[in-house]
Amino acid sequence: MKVGASNEVGLIATGGVRSDRPATTAAESGATRAEAGVSVDVSSTVQSLGRTGSGSGIDEAKVASMREAIANGTFTVDAGAVADKMLANAQEMLSRTRG
């Protein structure tokens, strides 16, 4: 998984709330309060992220086996592979800023 734009870092660091933008209330965003909760309008782009189809590139069998391994407590992380990917991503980002 590659790290995206720098605004995603703010999202993670602040627990899901962007630190560079002021928070909006439900009234400001056009959402209305319902009995069961708050109504939220979701863009078509976000809706498409939730859909997985045959062309999504997601290996559903692999996801299922990983979920099972996590649930069983047998999932292991290859720290070397994670470190290699992190270094490759950092090198890619640095090469973009230099060139």
Side-chain angles (χ1 to χ4, degrees):
M1 173 195 281
K2 291 189 177 185
V3 176
S6 62
N7 63 354
E8 289 179 3
V9 174
L11 249 162
I12 294 167
T14 59
V17 178
R18 291 178 189 248
S19 59
D20 57 341
R21 292 181 13 171
T24 58
T25 64
E28 291 170 331
S29 66
T32 58
R33 185 168 285 284
E35 285 184 33
V38 176
S39 173
V40 178
D41 295 323
V42 179
S43 71
S44 60
T45 303
V46 173
Q47 290 175 356
S48 69
L49 293 173
R51 293 186 211 122
T52 57
S54 60
S56 69
I58 297 173
D59 184 351
E60 296 292 334
K62 186 172 183 177
V63 171
S65 67
M66 290 176 73
R67 282 187 178 157
E68 184 177 334
I70 291 169
N72 294 335
T74 59
F75 183 79
T76 58
V77 177
D78 183 354
V82 172
D84 289 343
K85 291 287 185 177
M86 289 177 68
L87 290 171
N89 287 342
Q91 185 176 19
E92 180 183 337
M93 287 175 30
L94 288 172
S95 68
R96 282 190 221 159
T97 59
R98 291 181 188 160

